[in-house]
Amino acid sequence: MLTVEQAAGLLLDAERSATDRPPLTDQWPQLDLATAYAVQDETLRRREAGGDRLVGVKLGLTSAAKQRRMGVDAPLTAWLTESMMLAEGDPVPLKRLIHPRVEPEIVFVMAERLAGPGVTPETALRAVGEVRAGLDVIDSRYRDFRFTLPDVVADNASSAAFVVGSRVRAPGGTDLVGEGCELEVDRRVVDRATGAAVQGDPAAALALAANSLGSRGLALEPGWIVLSGALTDAVPVGPGSRVTARYTSLGAVTLEA
Ligand code: 0L1
Ligand code: MG
């Protein structure tokens, strides 16, 4: 059994020392989802106390295929902070990561506040200012990416870094469900998907985030970035890797390691 504060400290220590660890639930089997979100919030509080700034939210495990692979049965939300932001062309900070993987995502930039309950994909999109391409760099603090849903919630959905593409699309002008994406590693296409892979519709994932935050008395705020969830499987990155997500209308975004 651990306290929320102890669990947050263990996860941040693992992140800061780039050292993997066993899942929290090995020593705290009673960890439930509400407590796991309290641990996640405590890690955010400590990041902010250290000078970091909240810039948005990411959804994780939004596709049924990825949920099956990771052995969990629901999507989750987690916090994005300024220190996780990479600019296009920045290298993936391999030295401070354990076993990073990269996955393509559709990114929303909020124009207006959006709070559940009752948010639908349609009402969610009305609060969006921009749609962009993105890449999410994940780096579970758990050895071999072995975790339960409460473990990964506490670990802020394996957050490590992300990049947002420069091409801007208006939400109304983009067929998000049909938006195609090719994932290239070292200039070779390794996977393909459309926006339908993200909860059937990335706008549905956005609504899910607003409703989930709403149930905790929180909201998506104007200016926030929302990573809506991976379209394909994540690919490992190592020294010299180059990963590109090439979208049909959102343009391309690349990370090099
Ligand atoms: O962004 C994500 O979907 C990550 C969710 C956590 C699961 C993982 O580490 O693969
Ligand atoms: Mg992701």
Side-chain angles (χ1 to χ4, degrees):
M1 172 98 186
L2 296 165
T3 65
V4 165
E5 290 71 23
Q6 285 168 334
L10 289 171
L11 290 169
L12 288 173
D13 284 350
E15 181 176 329
R16 286 172 187 152
S17 61
T19 309
D20 60 8
R21 54 158 291 116
L24 292 176
T25 50
D26 279 8
Q27 64 192 117
W28 192 8
Q30 312 85 334
L31 177 64
D32 61 19
L33 216 44
T35 311
Y37 274 108
V39 174
Q40 187 192 101
D41 290 347
E42 176 62 15
T43 62
L44 173 66
R45 196 191 64 71
R46 293 184 188 201
R47 289 181 210 278
E48 290 180 313
D52 210 349
R53 188 171 67 87
L54 178 61
V55 296
V57 161
K58 65 175 270 183
L59 286 114
L61 304 174
T62 42
S63 82
K66 191 161 173 182
Q67 286 176 18
R68 263 197 309 277
R69 231 174 352 268
M70 307 314 283
V72 301
D73 59 3
L76 66 152
T77 63
W79 302 116
L80 296 176
T81 61
E82 195 168 28
S83 69
M84 300 173 193
M85 288 176 81
L86 299 175
E88 276 192 275
D90 283 354
V92 179
L94 291 180
K95 279 214 179 84
R96 64 170 170 88
L97 302 177
I98 303 165
H99 41 198
R101 301 180 184 178
V102 177
E103 52 192 27
E105 308 221 359
I106 291 174
V107 179
F108 298 108
V109 183
M110 304 308 296
E112 289 164 27
R113 189 167 195 273
L114 184 65
V119 176
T120 64
E122 293 71 31
T123 55
L125 275 189
R126 277 187 231 129
V128 170
E130 299 174 358
V131 186
R132 296 179 183 236
L135 286 171
D136 184 22
V137 182
I138 58 175
D139 191 41
S140 176
R141 267 52 69 174
Y142 302 122
R143 194 155 305 140
D144 303 324
F145 279 78
R146 178 175 72 88
F147 45 66
T148 65
L149 184 59
D151 284 310
V152 67
V153 166
D155 190 28
N156 204 41
S158 310
S159 67
F162 66 94
V163 62
V164 176
S166 52
R167 185 180 293 181
V168 177
R169 286 277 180 261
T174 314
D175 169 16
L176 294 172
V177 176
E179 178 72 10
C181 172
E182 287 185 341
L183 184 66
E184 294 175 14
V185 177
D186 300 334
R187 297 190 164 82
R188 202 172 55 84
V189 176
V190 297
D191 211 345
R192 287 188 173 81
T194 65
V198 184
Q199 293 284 290
D201 178 352
L206 181 66
L208 187 153
N211 288 325
S212 164
L213 289 174
S215 71
R216 295 159 56 205
L218 305 167
L220 295 169
E221 301 293 344
W224 276 16
I225 293 164
V226 181
L227 300 189
S228 61
L231 282 84
T232 71
D233 227 350
V235 289
V237 280
S241 300
R242 176 189 164 93
V243 182
T244 298
R246 202 174 295 284
Y247 289 86
T248 42
S249 73
L250 298 174
V253 60
T254 295
L255 277 177
E256 291 185 48

